[in-house]
């Protein structure tokens, strides 16, 4: 069975695992998911991730979640641009999440990056998700 929103599925898995106080969560692998996880790792929202081969042609991502004094580092994580409603933004109109305390993850022509990195690179793109 095909999945209509793979990135939304991964974000829901992360959100549910953190509510259940899990140390890690498993998600099917894709390049977009890896790029989003790389941004989350760079920004300090997750401890890390690793790609493992389940069987030939099938990979999965094991995501290590991050907690600070018993509370999860990620308070909110949700999808902005969905398959039915794409949300694009120019560099001037990139949204600030909680006045700069959170991040927006943006898919740009120069790759997937946070909103701050997109402003520095002076590129806009599709707003994939927001994290706080």
């Amino acid at each position: 069975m095909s999945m209509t929103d793979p990135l939304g599925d991964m974000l829901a898995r992360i959100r549910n695992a953190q509510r259940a106080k899990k140390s890690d969560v498993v998600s099917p692998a894709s390049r977009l998911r890896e790029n989003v996880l790389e941004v989350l790792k760079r920004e300090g929202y997750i401890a890390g991730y690793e790609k493992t081969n389940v069987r030939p042609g099938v990979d999965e991502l094991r995501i290590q979640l991050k907690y600070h004094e018993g509370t999860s580092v990620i308070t909110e994580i949700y999808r902005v641009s969905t398959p039915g409603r794409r949300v694009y933004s120019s560099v001037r109109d990139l949204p600030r999440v909680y006045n700069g305390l959170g991040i927006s993850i943006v898919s740009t022509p120069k790759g997937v990056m946070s909103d701050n990195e997109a402003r520095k690179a002076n590129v806009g793109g599709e707003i994939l998700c927001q994290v706080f």
Side-chain angles (χ1 to χ4, degrees), residues 72-87:
S72 61
V73 173
I74 297 174
T75 307
E76 294 178 9
I77 185 168
Y78 59 93
R79 187 89 153 97
V80 174
S81 184
T82 61
R85 184 178 148 262
R86 301 292 184 184
V87 178

Side-chain angles (χ1 to χ4, degrees), residues 65-124:
L65 302 176
K66 193 172 181 181
Y67 296 92
H68 178 69
E69 296 177 358
T71 60
S72 61
V73 173
I74 297 174
T75 307
E76 294 178 9
I77 185 168
Y78 59 93
R79 187 89 153 97
V80 174
S81 184
T82 61
R85 184 178 148 262
R86 301 292 184 184
V87 178
Y88 297 96
S89 177
S90 67
V91 68
R92 291 182 304 279
D93 300 328
L94 282 174
R96 293 193 186 273
V97 181
Y98 288 102
N99 205 20
L101 294 176
I103 63 165
S104 292
I105 298 179
V106 184
S107 176
T108 69
K110 295 184 178 180
V112 176
M113 55 183 72
S114 70
D115 56 345
N116 293 329
E117 294 168 338
R119 283 187 193 92
K120 288 178 187 168
N122 197 27
V123 291

Side-chain angles (χ1 to χ4, degrees), residues 8-67:
D9 174 66
M10 183 184 75
L11 299 178
R13 287 176 191 235
I14 291 173
R15 188 172 41 249
N16 292 340
Q18 286 205 315
R19 286 187 181 152
K21 302 290 186 197
K22 300 286 185 184
S23 62
D24 60 351
V25 64
V26 176
S27 175
S30 73
R31 276 197 323 232
L32 178 64
R33 291 179 190 200
E34 277 189 78
N35 293 336
V36 169
L37 288 174
E38 188 59 41
V39 172
L40 289 175
K41 182 179 174 185
R42 233 185 359 249
E43 296 290 329
Y45 287 101
I46 61 172
Y49 69 95
E50 62 182 16
K51 186 175 181 179
T52 57
N53 194 333
V54 178
R55 59 182 185 269
V58 178
D59 295 332
E60 68 181 16
L61 298 167
R62 181 169 301 278
I63 307 160
Q64 290 87 31
L65 302 176
K66 193 172 181 181
Y67 296 92

